[in-house]
Amino acid sequence: MRYYKGRLVLSCLLMAALVISGINSLHAQPSQITPANNIRQIDRLLLRIKTVEDTDTKTAFVLITEAKKLCVIAKVDTLTAKVYNEEGFCNFYAGNYKRSALTFDSSAYLWRKYNRLNYFKAVNDKATALMFNSEYHKALLAFFECMGMNKYVNDKRLTGKVLNNIGLVYESINDPDNAIFYEKKSLAYKLAAHDSLSLARTYGNIGDAFANKEMPDSAIIYEQRSYKLYFLAHDKVGISIALGDIGNMYRKKHMTDSAISYLLRAVNIAQKLSYVENTANIEDYLAESYMQRHDFKNTWKYASMAASYVPQITDNDFLQEHYNLMYRYFKATANTPKAFDYLQKLKAVDDSIFKQKINIQNEKIAFEYEYKQKKLKDSLVFQSHINESEKKAAASRNRFNISLSLLLVAALLAVIWYSRSKLLQKQNIVAQQNFTMQSQKIKELENEKQLLASQAVLKGQEEERSRLAKDLHDGLGGLLAGVKHSIINTKENLIAGIGNVPVFEKPLNMIDTAIKELRRVAQNMMPEALAKFGLTEALKDYCASSCTASCQVIFQSFGSDKQIDAAAGIIIYRIIQELVNNAQKHSAASQVMVQLVKGDDWITLSVEDNGKGFDVNGLKQSTGCGWSNIKSRVDYLNGNIDLKSQAGTGTSVNIEIKITQT
C-alpha cells in the first residue's frame, strides 16, 4: 500500500513539474522577440543625443526620456545601458554630477554582464563625476575598481586616463606624493598610446603637484615639457596654462624678470580666450610679480583685472590667493579700510577651506557605508523602471496561471504531505529563535543597568569632588589663612629679639606651603577655569600647568566656540586629565599633544605622545583602575574610543563623542 502511495505522490509531482515548465516555456518565447523598428528608433535617438548633449542639455533630456520608453518595450539590456550612459554625460554637462554618477552606475550595472570594456568605461565615468562632485574617496574606490579590471580590458589609453584621474584626486585632497606617483605611472601608458594632448596635461599635472610640494625647479621641468607638446598641437588654452604655470614658478623663486616675461606671453593668449579661471590666475600671478618689484601701479592694473572675474569663480583656492594679494596690496599702499575689508574676506575663505578639509576627512571615514546605501538606492531606482506594458503582461500571465490551477491540485496535495513532515522542524526552529531573542534582550537590559550604575557612580564622584574642593578651599583654606594672619599679628606686636625672628619665619613659610598645596589639590579636584571660562580654557590651563622640564604638553583646539553642557565638560576634562597623567607617568615621553575638535553635535578628543608605547593587549590583564575609569566615562557620554600603540612608536588615543552644546 505504501508503495502505491509513493508512486502516486511521485506521479503528481512529475505532472506538476511538466505543467509548470510548459507554462514557463509559453511565456519565455514572447520575451525573446525584440521589435526591430524600436531598436532602430533607439539607435537614431542615441545619435541625436550625442550631437546635442554638451550644447543643448534640455533637448538631450527630452530625447533620453523618449529613448528610455522605447528601451522598456525592446527589452535589450545593452541598448538600455547605452541610454543610461548618455544620460550620465547629459547630467555631467549640466553640472549635476551626483545624478551623473548614479546614471553611470546604472549603465555599469548592465554592461557588467555583457561587455567588460564598456563596463570599465562606465565605472571610470562614474568615478570622474564623483571627483567633480568632491566625493574624492568614493571616486578613488571606483577608479581602483577600474584598475582591477585592467588585465581584462588591456586598453593603454584608458588605463593611462584612469591613473591620471587618480593622481588628480590625490592632488585635490592635498596628497602631492601620491599624486606624483600615479601621474608618473600614467605617463608610461600615454607614451605607448601616442596621445600627445593627454600627455601634455599629465606633464602639467605633475608640475602642479611639485608646485604644491614647494619644489619649483622640478615643477618648471615638467611644465616646460607640457608647453612644448601644447605648442606642437597648436592648443592655445594649453599654451596659456603652461606659460602661466612656468611664470608662477619663477615668481616663487623670486626671479621676477623671467616670471613677468612668461606671464605677459600667457596673459596675451588667455585674454583672447573664454577660459575665465585661467585668465584670472595669470593676472593674479602678474600682480604678485610686480608687487615683488614694489611696482604698485602695475600691481593694481592686473589685480583689478583679476578682481573683475571673481563673481564668476567659485574655486576657494583661487579666492584665497586673490584676497590675500588684495589685502597685502592695500596694506602696502596704506589703505587700511580696504585692507581690513579683504582681510575679512580672506578669513571667510580660510574658514570655508578648513571646513572642506574636515568634510573630506569625515567623508574618508564614512564613504564605504554611504556607498553601500547608494548602491541599494540605485538598485531600487533601476527596478522602478517597469512600464505599463510590463504590468499588463504580468496580469496576463496571472490569468493564464489561474486557468491551470486545477492541474496543480495534485501537486498541491503532494506539497501538503511534505509540508506536514517539516512543520514540527520549523516550530522547533522558531522556538529556538525566540529563546535566542529573549536571551539577547536580557543581555541588553543587563548592559543598560550596568551603564546606569556607572553613570550614577561618575555623577557621585564629581559631586563629591566638587564638595571636597569647596570645603578645602573655603574651610581649611580660610582656617590656614587665619592662622597665618594671627602669627603675623603676634610677630608684629611682640618685642622679639633678633634670635627669635626665625621662630616666626619658619612656621609662616610652612603655612604658605600648606596653602599652596591646598589650592593645588582643590584646583585638581574641581578647576575654577572650567566653571568660569569653559572646557577649552580649562584644558589650556591644565596642559600649561602640566608641562615639566622633561615633558612638554601641547594643547590645540579647533571648531565651534559654543560651550557644551557643564556635566559633560567635567567628564571630558577628567578623561584628558587621566590620559595626560598616564602619558607623563608611564610613557617616558618628551612631548604630549592634546587636541580638541568641536563640531555642531560632536566632539573629538585626541591625546598622542612620543613615548615608548606598550602592548594594548596587556590592558585586558591590567589590575589598575585608570583605563577602566577612562572607558566608563566615555561609555557614560555614549562615545567611541580608539587606542593605538606599539612598543617604541608612542601611543595615540582618539575619542569621538556625540554631545549637546549649550
Side-chain angles (χ1 to χ4, degrees), residues 200-262:
R201 285 191 288 271
T202 302
Y203 279 132
N205 292 338
I206 297 173
D208 292 340
F210 276 116
N212 291 336
K213 288 190 70 177
E214 299 298 327
M215 297 173 66
D217 291 325
S218 298
I220 288 171
I221 291 171
Y222 283 95
E223 295 292 353
Q224 290 280 15
R225 294 175 183 175
S226 176
Y227 166 73
K228 289 178 182 178
L229 289 172
Y230 280 130
F231 182 81
L232 292 173
H234 304 287
D235 188 322
K236 291 185 178 181
V237 173
I239 291 170
S240 66
I241 292 172
L243 288 172
D245 289 338
I246 294 168
N248 188 40
M249 290 303 101
Y250 279 118
R251 178 189 65 80
K252 288 187 175 182
K253 293 181 67 177
H254 294 278
M255 298 172 65
T256 52
D257 290 337
S258 297
I260 292 171
S261 174
Y262 277 99

Side-chain angles (χ1 to χ4, degrees), residues 15 26 64 72 137 147 274 286 290 354 360 379 391 422 431 457 502 583 608 627 657 661:
M15 184 171 61
L26 285 172
I64 285 168
V72 175
H137 293 91
M147 294 307 301
S274 59
L286 267 170
Y290 280 115
F354 175 77
I360 291 173
S379 177
K391 293 179 181 178
K422 293 290 183 178
V457 169
E608 299 180 0
W627 182 251
I657 297 167
Q661 295 181 332

Side-chain angles (χ1 to χ4, degrees), residues 4 36 47 58 88 102 143 149 151 268 289 394 523 607 643 647:
Y4 288 107
L47 289 174
K58 187 175 180 180
L102 289 172
F143 281 131
M149 295 183 286
K151 59 184 179 181
N268 287 334
S289 301
Q523 176 71 10
V607 178
L643 171 64

Side-chain angles (χ1 to χ4, degrees), residues 291 296 300 326-336 338:
M291 183 173 279
F296 295 116
W300 173 246
M326 299 300 279
Y327 161 70
R328 288 185 287 109
Y329 168 78
F330 284 117
K331 184 179 179 183
T333 55
N335 191 337
T336 305
K338 282 284 187 180

